Amino acid sequence: MPNRCTIYEPTENALDICAQYLRDGEVVGMPTETVYGLAGNGLSEDSARKIFSVKGRPLIDPLIVHFADVAGAIKHVEVNAAVETLAAKFWPGPLTMVVNKNDSIPNIVTAGLPSVAIRVPQHPIFRAVLQRLDFPLAAPSANPFGYVSPTLAKHVHNTLGERISAVLDGGPCSFGLESTIVDLRDPENPSILRHGPVTQEALSDTLGRDLADHTFGSSDKKAQVAPGQLTQHYSPRAKVHLFELGTAPSNLSDIAVHENCAIIFNAKPLFEPIAKHAYWLSEDGNTETVAHNLFELIQRLDQQGYTELHIELSAPTGIGKAINDRLHRAAAK
Ligand code: TXA
Ligand code: MG
């Protein structure tokens, strides 16, 4: 199929065109502050079906619904004090809350669950489109199911361009990792379902209580309340190997001579390139910068045809938890 997808600069006219595609039931690639989303009418069963089909995503993996503001969001869900507290502190922003839904949200959007994941995003382009519409936007990350999430408009264009008409270009996504997901169905027992830019520490400080860790990789069996969390995900074509922070891959001398192996450090190595194909995600190891650049570098090296990526883990604090979560999943082939 030919790629007829237009990458639009975000002019007023382009925002109008994309809003009209969405009213017509089409899906559009759109920037958020986390990653690019594949957006469609969150109240329409047909649009939701289109999202699943364009992504090749199984119908058992529910979508996040994005609203222009808190007032718009709470009309469709069961609110509680914890939701109000976190919304006041973190919205608009990279936090998704799972709450019980009303009938207005079609069952296909939530994969048949009685709960829905909701978020008020911060990105000005996404917000400008939402403000043109009288419905919220369901949007998963705009990657083919299982592949690395997109942080540039061209990532969406290259991977889904044969199946969609438009992507709005907002430049690189500032956080570069998907939103944090927190389960607030029971406000007395909040839990974290996916690590992201809003840290577990910040959430428990704001709520004044600890959150159970139900994320991928946690030993807690209740992790299964987050559908789609247990599967291998975020994988490039290249095989991913991980090494501990501050170390080098154990078989460095072998890797170093292989043309098709890349080594990815968090910070620029202090000594001259220790391997021919060494890359780094930041100059100084700053974790926010590492997160911002991670998916872009993985996609670029994957495009260049490397077959093995050896990637350094982050310190498991702050957004480092989210980075390590995505890396462990990418390595879990
Ligand atoms: O940053 C983000 O969250 C991006 C941007 C576009 O907003 N979106 C995103 O969506 O990462 P997606 O579809 O790639 O991941 C959404 C995940 C699902 O895989 C599922 O694990 C969880 O959210 N989820 C959605 N609805 C849920 C629900 N009702 N209960 C539990 N988990 C849910
Ligand atoms: Mg995704």
Side-chain angles (χ1 to χ4, degrees):
M1 235 196 295
N3 187 331
R4 294 213 178 85
C5 176
T6 304
I7 298 184
Y8 287 97
E9 287 302 312
T11 59
E12 293 293 315
N13 186 38
L15 296 175
D16 289 341
I17 292 171
C18 291
Q20 193 54 46
Y21 273 127
L22 292 161
R23 280 183 213 104
D24 292 342
E26 292 301 322
V27 297
V28 173
M30 285 177 34
T32 84
E33 67 277 23
T34 57
V35 299
Y36 275 73
L38 183 66
N41 184 342
L43 302 182
S44 152
E45 201 177 311
D46 287 347
S47 294
R49 203 172 291 287
K50 206 164 273 180
I51 293 173
F52 283 102
S53 119
V54 166
K55 250 187 93 96
R57 175 169 174 146
L59 290 165
I60 53 166
D61 193 356
L63 306 175
I64 297 174
V65 184
H66 300 69
F67 295 86
D69 50 39
V70 181
I74 63 179
K75 278 194 291 195
H76 297 276
V77 301
E78 220 173 77
V79 242
N80 56 52
V83 174
E84 284 171 347
T85 305
L86 293 185
K89 171 92 178 174
F90 296 107
W91 279 355
L95 178 68
T96 296
M97 304 194 216
V98 171
V99 285
N100 290 319
K101 77 176 188 75
N102 293 346
D103 290 344
S104 50
I105 308 282
N107 288 331
I108 182 173
V109 168
T110 64
L113 295 171
S115 60
V116 63
I118 56 171
R119 169 159 117 82
V120 174
Q122 195 176 74
H123 199 290
I125 297 173
F126 202 105
R127 295 179 65 74
V129 174
L130 277 172
Q131 272 145 16
R132 282 166 162 75
L133 300 171
D134 59 4
F135 50 82
L137 291 171
S141 50
N143 49 297
F145 181 68
Y147 194 65
V148 186
S149 293
T151 55
L152 294 174
K154 75 167 183 199
H155 293 155
V156 185
H157 184 268
N158 293 347
T159 56
L160 299 178
E162 289 176 3
R163 287 175 248 166
I164 62 176
S165 302
V167 50
L168 277 165
D169 193 349
C173 300
S174 52
F175 291 105
L177 291 181
E178 303 83 353
S179 63
T180 305
I181 306 182
V182 58
D183 182 355
L184 294 173
R185 288 173 304 162
D186 175 1
E188 301 301 314
N189 291 294
S191 64
I192 183 155
L193 303 182
R194 180 171 75 184
H195 291 297
V198 175
T199 63
Q200 190 167 355
E201 296 88 331
L203 292 170
S204 55
D205 284 354
T206 308
L207 289 176
R209 60 168 83 223
D210 287 338
L211 285 90
D213 185 344
H214 293 168
T215 60
F216 169 84
S218 77
S219 52
D220 197 324
K221 290 286 168 286
K222 289 197 183 127
Q224 291 173 22
V225 296
Q229 294 289 303
L230 290 181
T231 44
Q232 164 258 331
H233 220 43
Y234 306 99
S235 297
R237 281 189 296 271
K239 197 163 170 24
V240 173
H241 308 272
L242 306 176
F243 59 95
E244 291 300 326
L245 175 67
T247 68
S250 49
N251 48 344
L252 182 61
S253 50
D254 288 344
I255 299 166
V257 297
H258 279 292
E259 288 294 317
N260 52 358
C261 293
I263 308 181
I264 303 173
F265 294 100
N266 286 344
K268 182 173 177 181
L270 293 175
F271 303 101
E272 270 314 289
I274 56 165
K276 210 162 157 195
H277 302 291
Y279 297 84
W280 42 94
L281 290 156
S282 72
E283 288 295 309
D284 55 2
N286 175 282
T287 341
E288 275 74 28
T289 314
V290 169
H292 173 83
N293 291 324
L294 181 67
F295 288 164
E296 189 280 323
L297 184 62
I298 290 178
Q299 296 213 35
R300 183 149 44 91
L301 299 182
D302 211 24
Q303 286 284 315
Q304 285 176 22
Y306 284 107
T307 55
E308 291 194 24
L309 306 178
H310 296 261
I311 311 179
E312 184 176 12
L313 287 159
S314 280
T317 53
I319 200 172
K321 277 192 189 170
I323 295 172
N324 290 348
D325 162 88
R326 304 311 187 270
L327 287 176
H328 282 296
R329 295 201 229 186
K333 278 222 157 153

PDB file of all heavy atoms in Angstrom, residues 25-48:
ATOM      1  N   GLY A  25     -14.614  10.367  11.930  1.00  0.00           N
ATOM      2  CA  GLY A  25     -14.375   8.996  12.401  1.00  0.00           C
ATOM      3  C   GLY A  25     -13.010   8.439  12.041  1.00  0.00           C
ATOM      4  O   GLY A  25     -12.729   7.259  12.295  1.00  0.00           O
ATOM      5  N   GLU A  26     -12.144   9.287  11.458  1.00  0.00           N
ATOM      6  CA  GLU A  26     -10.799   8.829  11.092  1.00  0.00           C
ATOM      7  C   GLU A  26      -9.874   8.871  12.310  1.00  0.00           C
ATOM      8  O   GLU A  26     -10.198   9.500  13.326  1.00  0.00           O
ATOM      9  CB  GLU A  26     -10.217   9.728   9.995  1.00  0.00           C
ATOM     10  CG  GLU A  26     -10.916   9.612   8.666  1.00  0.00           C
ATOM     11  CD  GLU A  26     -10.870   8.194   8.122  1.00  0.00           C
ATOM     12  OE1 GLU A  26      -9.835   7.516   8.288  1.00  0.00           O
ATOM     13  OE2 GLU A  26     -11.893   7.743   7.560  1.00  0.00           O
ATOM     14  N   VAL A  27      -8.692   8.265  12.189  1.00  0.00           N
ATOM     15  CA  VAL A  27      -7.690   8.350  13.253  1.00  0.00           C
ATOM     16  C   VAL A  27      -6.501   9.175  12.743  1.00  0.00           C
ATOM     17  O   VAL A  27      -6.175   9.163  11.554  1.00  0.00           O
ATOM     18  CB  VAL A  27      -7.232   6.961  13.739  1.00  0.00           C
ATOM     19  CG1 VAL A  27      -8.392   6.204  14.351  1.00  0.00           C
ATOM     20  CG2 VAL A  27      -6.587   6.167  12.632  1.00  0.00           C
ATOM     21  N   VAL A  28      -5.888   9.927  13.664  1.00  0.00           N
ATOM     22  CA  VAL A  28      -4.832  10.879  13.311  1.00  0.00           C
ATOM     23  C   VAL A  28      -3.660  10.705  14.279  1.00  0.00           C
ATOM     24  O   VAL A  28      -3.874  10.526  15.484  1.00  0.00           O
ATOM     25  CB  VAL A  28      -5.391  12.332  13.423  1.00  0.00           C
ATOM     26  CG1 VAL A  28      -4.296  13.366  13.223  1.00  0.00           C
ATOM     27  CG2 VAL A  28      -6.524  12.554  12.411  1.00  0.00           C
ATOM     28  N   GLY A  29      -2.445  10.785  13.771  1.00  0.00           N
ATOM     29  CA  GLY A  29      -1.252  10.764  14.630  1.00  0.00           C
ATOM     30  C   GLY A  29      -1.049  12.142  15.249  1.00  0.00           C
ATOM     31  O   GLY A  29      -1.075  13.146  14.541  1.00  0.00           O
ATOM     32  N   MET A  30      -0.898  12.184  16.568  1.00  0.00           N
ATOM     33  CA  MET A  30      -0.816  13.489  17.257  1.00  0.00           C
ATOM     34  C   MET A  30       0.227  13.468  18.361  1.00  0.00           C
ATOM     35  O   MET A  30       0.339  12.482  19.082  1.00  0.00           O
ATOM     36  CB  MET A  30      -2.179  13.828  17.873  1.00  0.00           C
ATOM     37  CG  MET A  30      -3.159  14.262  16.798  1.00  0.00           C
ATOM     38  SD  MET A  30      -4.827  14.605  17.371  1.00  0.00           S
ATOM     39  CE  MET A  30      -4.637  15.281  18.956  1.00  0.00           C
ATOM     40  N   PRO A  31       0.961  14.592  18.527  1.00  0.00           N
ATOM     41  CA  PRO A  31       1.977  14.627  19.581  1.00  0.00           C
ATOM     42  C   PRO A  31       1.355  14.810  20.965  1.00  0.00           C
ATOM     43  O   PRO A  31       0.370  15.533  21.115  1.00  0.00           O
ATOM     44  CB  PRO A  31       2.798  15.870  19.224  1.00  0.00           C
ATOM     45  CG  PRO A  31       1.834  16.761  18.501  1.00  0.00           C
ATOM     46  CD  PRO A  31       0.888  15.843  17.767  1.00  0.00           C
ATOM     47  N   THR A  32       1.909  14.136  21.958  1.00  0.00           N
ATOM     48  CA  THR A  32       1.617  14.482  23.353  1.00  0.00           C
ATOM     49  C   THR A  32       2.974  14.739  24.002  1.00  0.00           C
ATOM     50  O   THR A  32       4.018  14.527  23.372  1.00  0.00           O
ATOM     51  CB  THR A  32       0.866  13.377  24.123  1.00  0.00           C
ATOM     52  OG1 THR A  32       1.805  12.425  24.614  1.00  0.00           O
ATOM     53  CG2 THR A  32      -0.202  12.697  23.282  1.00  0.00           C
ATOM     54  N   GLU A  33       2.953  15.171  25.248  1.00  0.00           N
ATOM     55  CA  GLU A  33       4.214  15.432  25.936  1.00  0.00           C
ATOM     56  C   GLU A  33       4.970  14.147  26.260  1.00  0.00           C
ATOM     57  O   GLU A  33       6.150  14.178  26.579  1.00  0.00           O
ATOM     58  CB  GLU A  33       3.966  16.250  27.205  1.00  0.00           C
ATOM     59  CG  GLU A  33       3.200  15.525  28.302  1.00  0.00           C
ATOM     60  CD  GLU A  33       1.677  15.574  28.107  1.00  0.00           C
ATOM     61  OE1 GLU A  33       1.204  15.773  26.964  1.00  0.00           O
ATOM     62  OE2 GLU A  33       0.961  15.409  29.122  1.00  0.00           O
ATOM     63  N   THR A  34       4.290  12.973  26.148  1.00  0.00           N
ATOM     64  CA  THR A  34       4.964  11.701  26.464  1.00  0.00           C
ATOM     65  C   THR A  34       5.489  11.055  25.184  1.00  0.00           C
ATOM     66  O   THR A  34       6.702  10.982  24.972  1.00  0.00           O
ATOM     67  CB  THR A  34       3.990  10.754  27.197  1.00  0.00           C
ATOM     68  OG1 THR A  34       2.831  10.558  26.374  1.00  0.00           O
ATOM     69  CG2 THR A  34       3.598  11.328  28.545  1.00  0.00           C
ATOM     70  N   VAL A  35       4.565  10.565  24.363  1.00  0.00           N
ATOM     71  CA  VAL A  35       4.911   9.969  23.062  1.00  0.00           C
ATOM     72  C   VAL A  35       3.803  10.381  22.089  1.00  0.00           C
ATOM     73  O   VAL A  35       2.795  10.944  22.509  1.00  0.00           O
ATOM     74  CB  VAL A  35       4.988   8.415  23.159  1.00  0.00           C
ATOM     75  CG1 VAL A  35       6.072   7.980  24.149  1.00  0.00           C
ATOM     76  CG2 VAL A  35       3.645   7.794  23.566  1.00  0.00           C
ATOM     77  N   TYR A  36       3.978  10.095  20.798  1.00  0.00           N
ATOM     78  CA  TYR A  36       2.900  10.387  19.841  1.00  0.00           C
ATOM     79  C   TYR A  36       1.758   9.397  20.053  1.00  0.00           C
ATOM     80  O   TYR A  36       1.978   8.216  20.334  1.00  0.00           O
ATOM     81  CB  TYR A  36       3.414  10.303  18.392  1.00  0.00           C
ATOM     82  CG  TYR A  36       4.059  11.599  17.943  1.00  0.00           C
ATOM     83  CD1 TYR A  36       5.307  11.969  18.432  1.00  0.00           C
ATOM     84  CD2 TYR A  36       3.408  12.474  17.071  1.00  0.00           C
ATOM     85  CE1 TYR A  36       5.892  13.183  18.064  1.00  0.00           C
ATOM     86  CE2 TYR A  36       3.980  13.678  16.685  1.00  0.00           C
ATOM     87  CZ  TYR A  36       5.212  14.031  17.184  1.00  0.00           C
ATOM     88  OH  TYR A  36       5.776  15.226  16.820  1.00  0.00           O
ATOM     89  N   GLY A  37       0.521   9.902  19.916  1.00  0.00           N
ATOM     90  CA  GLY A  37      -0.650   9.059  20.073  1.00  0.00           C
ATOM     91  C   GLY A  37      -1.358   8.865  18.746  1.00  0.00           C
ATOM     92  O   GLY A  37      -1.220   9.661  17.811  1.00  0.00           O
ATOM     93  N   LEU A  38      -2.122   7.757  18.644  1.00  0.00           N
ATOM     94  CA  LEU A  38      -2.960   7.494  17.476  1.00  0.00           C
ATOM     95  C   LEU A  38      -4.392   7.764  17.929  1.00  0.00           C
ATOM     96  O   LEU A  38      -5.020   6.939  18.568  1.00  0.00           O
ATOM     97  CB  LEU A  38      -2.793   6.033  17.050  1.00  0.00           C
ATOM     98  CG  LEU A  38      -3.544   5.598  15.809  1.00  0.00           C
ATOM     99  CD1 LEU A  38      -3.017   6.315  14.574  1.00  0.00           C
ATOM    100  CD2 LEU A  38      -3.414   4.084  15.628  1.00  0.00           C
ATOM    101  N   ALA A  39      -4.870   8.974  17.601  1.00  0.00           N
ATOM    102  CA  ALA A  39      -6.105   9.464  18.222  1.00  0.00           C
ATOM    103  C   ALA A  39      -7.341   9.196  17.371  1.00  0.00           C
ATOM    104  O   ALA A  39      -7.299   9.246  16.137  1.00  0.00           O
ATOM    105  CB  ALA A  39      -5.979  10.967  18.483  1.00  0.00           C
ATOM    106  N   GLY A  40      -8.446   8.919  18.067  1.00  0.00           N
ATOM    107  CA  GLY A  40      -9.749   8.767  17.430  1.00  0.00           C
ATOM    108  C   GLY A  40     -10.831   9.122  18.436  1.00  0.00           C
ATOM    109  O   GLY A  40     -10.550   9.205  19.649  1.00  0.00           O
ATOM    110  N   ASN A  41     -12.052   9.320  17.953  1.00  0.00           N
ATOM    111  CA  ASN A  41     -13.178   9.684  18.823  1.00  0.00           C
ATOM    112  C   ASN A  41     -13.360   8.644  19.944  1.00  0.00           C
ATOM    113  O   ASN A  41     -13.688   7.488  19.685  1.00  0.00           O
ATOM    114  CB  ASN A  41     -14.456   9.782  17.972  1.00  0.00           C
ATOM    115  CG  ASN A  41     -15.664  10.238  18.770  1.00  0.00           C
ATOM    116  OD1 ASN A  41     -15.684  10.177  20.001  1.00  0.00           O
ATOM    117  ND2 ASN A  41     -16.676  10.698  18.059  1.00  0.00           N
ATOM    118  N   GLY A  42     -13.157   9.083  21.197  1.00  0.00           N
ATOM    119  CA  GLY A  42     -13.214   8.176  22.340  1.00  0.00           C
ATOM    120  C   GLY A  42     -14.613   7.765  22.728  1.00  0.00           C
ATOM    121  O   GLY A  42     -14.787   6.916  23.608  1.00  0.00           O
ATOM    122  N   LEU A  43     -15.649   8.362  22.070  1.00  0.00           N
ATOM    123  CA  LEU A  43     -17.026   7.965  22.378  1.00  0.00           C
ATOM    124  C   LEU A  43     -17.630   7.146  21.238  1.00  0.00           C
ATOM    125  O   LEU A  43     -18.813   6.812  21.276  1.00  0.00           O
ATOM    126  CB  LEU A  43     -17.889   9.208  22.651  1.00  0.00           C
ATOM    127  CG  LEU A  43     -17.413  10.114  23.796  1.00  0.00           C
ATOM    128  CD1 LEU A  43     -18.383  11.279  23.999  1.00  0.00           C
ATOM    129  CD2 LEU A  43     -17.242   9.329  25.092  1.00  0.00           C
ATOM    130  N   SER A  44     -16.812   6.862  20.226  1.00  0.00           N
ATOM    131  CA  SER A  44     -17.333   6.150  19.058  1.00  0.00           C
ATOM    132  C   SER A  44     -16.732   4.752  18.949  1.00  0.00           C
ATOM    133  O   SER A  44     -15.507   4.583  18.910  1.00  0.00           O
ATOM    134  CB  SER A  44     -17.011   6.952  17.783  1.00  0.00           C
ATOM    135  OG  SER A  44     -16.887   6.094  16.670  1.00  0.00           O
ATOM    136  N   GLU A  45     -17.633   3.772  18.883  1.00  0.00           N
ATOM    137  CA  GLU A  45     -17.182   2.392  18.767  1.00  0.00           C
ATOM    138  C   GLU A  45     -16.409   2.181  17.457  1.00  0.00           C
ATOM    139  O   GLU A  45     -15.377   1.503  17.436  1.00  0.00           O
ATOM    140  CB  GLU A  45     -18.429   1.510  18.797  1.00  0.00           C
ATOM    141  CG  GLU A  45     -18.126   0.114  19.186  1.00  0.00           C
ATOM    142  CD  GLU A  45     -19.391  -0.723  19.288  1.00  0.00           C
ATOM    143  OE1 GLU A  45     -20.362  -0.278  19.940  1.00  0.00           O
ATOM    144  OE2 GLU A  45     -19.383  -1.815  18.690  1.00  0.00           O
ATOM    145  N   ASP A  46     -16.889   2.794  16.379  1.00  0.00           N
ATOM    146  CA  ASP A  46     -16.226   2.602  15.081  1.00  0.00           C
ATOM    147  C   ASP A  46     -14.820   3.181  15.067  1.00  0.00           C
ATOM    148  O   ASP A  46     -13.889   2.586  14.522  1.00  0.00           O
ATOM    149  CB  ASP A  46     -17.045   3.261  13.961  1.00  0.00           C
ATOM    150  CG  ASP A  46     -18.305   2.468  13.653  1.00  0.00           C
ATOM    151  OD1 ASP A  46     -18.392   1.305  14.126  1.00  0.00           O
ATOM    152  OD2 ASP A  46     -19.192   3.005  12.968  1.00  0.00           O
ATOM    153  N   SER A  47     -14.664   4.373  15.672  1.00  0.00           N
ATOM    154  CA  SER A  47     -13.330   4.975  15.706  1.00  0.00           C
ATOM    155  C   SER A  47     -12.380   4.114  16.535  1.00  0.00           C
ATOM    156  O   SER A  47     -11.217   3.915  16.170  1.00  0.00           O
ATOM    157  CB  SER A  47     -13.373   6.383  16.297  1.00  0.00           C
ATOM    158  OG  SER A  47     -14.100   7.232  15.442  1.00  0.00           O
ATOM    159  N   ALA A  48     -12.888   3.605  17.659  1.00  0.00           N
ATOM    160  CA  ALA A  48     -12.044   2.754  18.505  1.00  0.00           C
ATOM    161  C   ALA A  48     -11.611   1.511  17.730  1.00  0.00           C
ATOM    162  O   ALA A  48     -10.450   1.110  17.751  1.00  0.00           O
ATOM    163  CB  ALA A  48     -12.796   2.373  19.773  1.00  0.00           C
TER     164      ALA A  48
END
